[in-house]
Amino acid sequence: MAIKTTDLNARLFGKADKRRATNVTEAQTAARDKAAVIELAVAGEETVAFELIKINADDVSTKTTVFAENAREQAFLNEHALADILSTLKDRGQQYPAVGRWLDDGRIEVLDGSRRRMSCILAHKDFLIYVAKGINTEHAKFLSDVANAHKPLSLYERGKEMQHLLDSGKVADQKELARYCQCSEALVSGALKAASLPMELLMAYPSVGELGRPTIVKLHRVFFGLAPEQQKNMIQELSSDKTALWKTINAQGISRITREVTVKLEEMGDALQPKAVVEKPSSQELIKGKVSYTRDGDKLQLRLKKMSDRQVSDILAYLNDYLK
């Protein structure tokens, strides 16, 4: 039987000096103690010993990597996306160790704690991680998926997982996907739209996790309203400058910056759209100097000159009778 998230957290962080935590308070206390070794029955199966390792700030980016099947998109982890933990980490250092496994090349693969890892890199702080040997891919995926329950995934990240379920045949359609994921069909639709957007478009924002369905739907309409060549031009325009679009916005607050980025992307999409050339229908002369007309689809406009009162009356009477 799979281990519950709460029990997993207690076991991961709750065994100081070989003591097993049985509740949240004990787990938090043990985490602060930074136990040298913890033991965990991964996915309710074999017990594995995890050793606490400290990696110097200068070596975090080179001596660690993130599990390839981690649902969290690492490219989105910047100072805005990590604001909830970055300020505390800068002041007090890392409070709770991450969890990982040893790789054959001597590096450590982070299974739980990719946000803490990137925060340590940005803040130039030492990285604490519990590491074990002999963790297979299935168990690594289990640890990674449980960890993502702590911080909700973005719509893009959820959409990637949903698309994988569709592609693998695990679910047949969006309706079944909504039941499987225990969410609304509207959320499924929004998440799949997000997952279909190019990374360059999403990375124009300070924090992809802040993008809700209305913004995603708008971006989807803007991008997929372009022809393939125009889409390519839009991506190239976003990629040509090494500075992310959100960094060029003169505004304060993540919500305001997000709104401004959306406006900029809409303007970019409009500029790339080819301007439709509408040919105005030309006037045709019927009786030189007296009658001309313009035909526009099912509309007909007559221009009559030098008309007597009787002629006007007769023509209007004829039209009235003919078009009844």
Coordinates of all heavy atoms in Angstrom, one line a residue, residues 77-96 113-120 123 151:
L77 N 11.8 28.4 -12.7 CA 12.2 28.7 -11.3 C 13.1 29.9 -11.3 O 14.3 29.8 -11.5 CB 12.9 27.5 -10.7 CG 12.0 26.2 -10.6 CD1 12.8 25.2 -9.8 CD2 10.7 26.5 -9.9
N78 N 12.5 31.1 -11.1 CA 13.3 32.3 -10.9 C 12.9 33.0 -9.6 O 12.2 32.4 -8.8 CB 13.0 33.3 -12.1 CG 11.5 33.6 -12.2 OD1 10.8 33.8 -11.3 ND2 11.1 33.7 -13.5
E79 N 13.4 34.2 -9.3 CA 13.2 34.8 -8.0 C 11.7 35.1 -7.7 O 11.3 35.1 -6.6 CB 14.0 36.1 -7.9 CG 13.8 37.1 -9.0 CD 14.7 37.0 -10.2 OE1 15.1 35.9 -10.6 OE2 15.1 38.1 -10.8
H80 N 10.9 35.3 -8.8 CA 9.5 35.5 -8.5 C 8.8 34.2 -8.2 O 8.0 34.2 -7.3 CB 8.9 36.2 -9.8 CG 9.2 37.7 -9.9 ND1 8.6 38.6 -9.1 CD2 10.0 38.3 -10.7 CE1 9.0 39.8 -9.4 NE2 9.9 39.7 -10.4
A81 N 9.1 33.2 -9.0 CA 8.4 31.9 -8.7 C 8.8 31.3 -7.4 O 8.1 30.5 -6.8 CB 8.8 30.9 -9.9
L82 N 10.0 31.7 -6.9 CA 10.5 31.1 -5.6 C 10.3 32.1 -4.5 O 10.9 31.9 -3.4 CB 11.9 30.7 -5.8 CG 12.2 29.7 -6.8 CD1 13.7 29.6 -7.1 CD2 11.7 28.3 -6.4
A83 N 9.6 33.2 -4.7 CA 9.5 34.2 -3.6 C 9.0 33.7 -2.3 O 9.4 34.3 -1.3 CB 8.6 35.4 -4.1
D84 N 8.2 32.7 -2.3 CA 7.6 32.2 -1.0 C 8.6 31.6 -0.1 O 8.4 31.5 1.1 CB 6.5 31.2 -1.3 CG 6.9 30.0 -2.2 OD1 7.7 30.2 -3.2 OD2 6.5 28.9 -1.9
I85 N 9.8 31.1 -0.7 CA 10.8 30.5 0.2 C 12.1 31.2 0.1 O 13.0 31.0 1.0 CB 11.0 29.0 -0.2 CG1 11.5 28.8 -1.7 CG2 9.7 28.2 0.0 CD1 11.8 27.4 -2.0
L86 N 12.3 32.0 -0.9 CA 13.6 32.6 -1.2 C 14.0 33.6 -0.1 O 15.2 33.6 0.4 CB 13.7 33.3 -2.5 CG 15.0 33.7 -3.1 CD1 16.0 32.5 -3.1 CD2 14.9 34.2 -4.5
S87 N 13.1 34.4 0.4 CA 13.5 35.4 1.4 C 13.9 34.8 2.7 O 14.9 35.2 3.3 CB 12.3 36.4 1.6 OG 11.1 35.7 2.0
T88 N 13.1 33.7 3.1 CA 13.5 33.0 4.3 C 14.8 32.3 4.2 O 15.6 32.3 5.1 CB 12.4 32.0 4.7 OG1 11.1 32.7 4.8 CG2 12.7 31.3 6.0
L89 N 15.0 31.7 3.1 CA 16.3 31.0 2.8 C 17.5 31.9 2.9 O 18.5 31.6 3.4 CB 16.2 30.2 1.5 CG 17.3 29.2 1.3 CD1 16.8 28.0 0.6 CD2 18.4 29.8 0.4
K90 N 17.3 33.1 2.3 CA 18.4 34.1 2.3 C 18.8 34.5 3.8 O 19.9 34.7 4.1 CB 18.0 35.4 1.5 CG 18.0 35.2 0.0 CD 17.6 36.5 -0.7 CE 17.6 36.3 -2.2 NZ 17.1 37.5 -2.9
D91 N 17.7 34.7 4.6 CA 18.0 35.1 6.0 C 18.4 34.0 6.9 O 19.3 34.2 7.7 CB 16.7 35.7 6.6 CG 16.3 37.0 5.8 OD1 17.2 37.6 5.2 OD2 15.1 37.4 5.9
R92 N 17.8 32.8 6.8 CA 18.1 31.7 7.7 C 18.7 30.5 7.2 O 19.0 29.5 7.9 CB 16.7 31.3 8.4 CG 16.0 32.5 9.0 CD 14.7 32.0 9.6 NE 13.8 33.1 9.9 CZ 12.5 33.0 10.3 NH1 12.0 31.7 10.4 NH2 11.8 34.0 10.6
G93 N 18.9 30.5 5.9 CA 19.4 29.2 5.3 C 18.3 28.3 5.1 O 17.1 28.5 5.3
Q94 N 18.6 27.1 4.5 CA 17.6 26.1 4.2 C 17.1 25.4 5.5 O 17.9 24.9 6.3 CB 18.3 25.0 3.3 CG 17.3 24.0 2.8 CD 18.1 23.0 1.9 OE1 19.2 23.2 1.5 NE2 17.4 21.9 1.6
Q95 N 15.8 25.4 5.7 CA 15.2 24.9 6.9 C 14.9 23.4 6.8 O 15.1 22.7 7.8 CB 13.9 25.6 7.2 CG 14.0 27.1 7.4 CD 14.9 27.4 8.6 OE1 14.5 27.0 9.7 NE2 16.0 28.0 8.4
Y96 N 14.6 22.9 5.7 CA 14.2 21.5 5.5 C 15.1 20.9 4.4 O 15.1 21.4 3.3 CB 12.7 21.3 5.2 CG 11.8 21.7 6.3 CD1 11.3 23.0 6.4 CD2 11.5 20.8 7.4 CE1 10.5 23.4 7.4 CE2 10.7 21.2 8.4 CZ 10.2 22.5 8.4 OH 9.4 22.9 9.5
G113 N 12.7 18.6 -3.8 CA 13.4 19.8 -3.4 C 14.0 20.6 -4.5 O 15.0 21.3 -4.3
S114 N 13.5 20.5 -5.7 CA 14.1 21.2 -6.8 C 13.9 22.7 -6.6 O 14.8 23.5 -7.0 CB 13.5 20.8 -8.2 OG 12.1 21.2 -8.2
R115 N 12.9 23.2 -5.9 CA 12.7 24.6 -5.7 C 13.7 25.1 -4.6 O 14.3 26.2 -4.7 CB 11.3 24.9 -5.2 CG 10.2 24.5 -6.2 CD 8.8 24.8 -5.7 NE 8.5 26.2 -5.8 CZ 8.3 27.0 -4.8 NH1 8.4 26.6 -3.5 NH2 8.0 28.3 -4.9
R116 N 13.9 24.2 -3.6 CA 15.0 24.6 -2.6 C 16.3 24.6 -3.2 O 17.2 25.4 -2.9 CB 14.9 23.5 -1.5 CG 13.8 23.8 -0.4 CD 13.6 22.6 0.4 NE 12.7 21.6 -0.3 CZ 12.4 20.4 0.2 NH1 12.9 20.0 1.4 NH2 11.6 19.6 -0.4
R117 N 16.6 23.7 -4.1 CA 17.9 23.6 -4.8 C 18.1 24.9 -5.6 O 19.2 25.6 -5.4 CB 17.9 22.5 -5.8 CG 19.1 22.4 -6.7 CD 19.0 21.3 -7.8 NE 20.2 21.3 -8.7 CZ 20.2 22.0 -9.8 NH1 19.2 22.7 -10.2 NH2 21.3 21.9 -10.6
M118 N 17.1 25.4 -6.4 CA 17.3 26.6 -7.2 C 17.4 27.8 -6.3 O 18.1 28.8 -6.5 CB 16.2 26.8 -8.2 CG 16.3 28.0 -9.1 SD 17.9 28.1 -10.0 CE 17.7 26.7 -11.1
S119 N 16.7 27.8 -5.2 CA 16.7 28.9 -4.2 C 18.1 29.0 -3.6 O 18.6 30.1 -3.4 CB 15.7 28.7 -3.1 OG 14.4 28.8 -3.6
C120 N 18.7 27.9 -3.3 CA 20.1 27.9 -2.8 C 21.1 28.5 -3.8 O 22.0 29.2 -3.5 CB 20.5 26.5 -2.4 SG 19.8 26.0 -0.8
A123 N 20.4 32.3 -4.0 CA 20.8 33.0 -2.8 C 22.2 32.7 -2.4 O 22.7 33.3 -1.5 CB 19.9 32.6 -1.7
K151 N 3.7 22.3 -3.2 CA 3.5 23.5 -3.9 C 2.8 23.2 -5.2 O 3.3 22.4 -6.0 CB 4.9 24.2 -4.2 CG 4.8 25.4 -5.1 CD 4.2 26.6 -4.4 CE 4.3 27.9 -5.3 NZ 3.7 29.0 -4.6

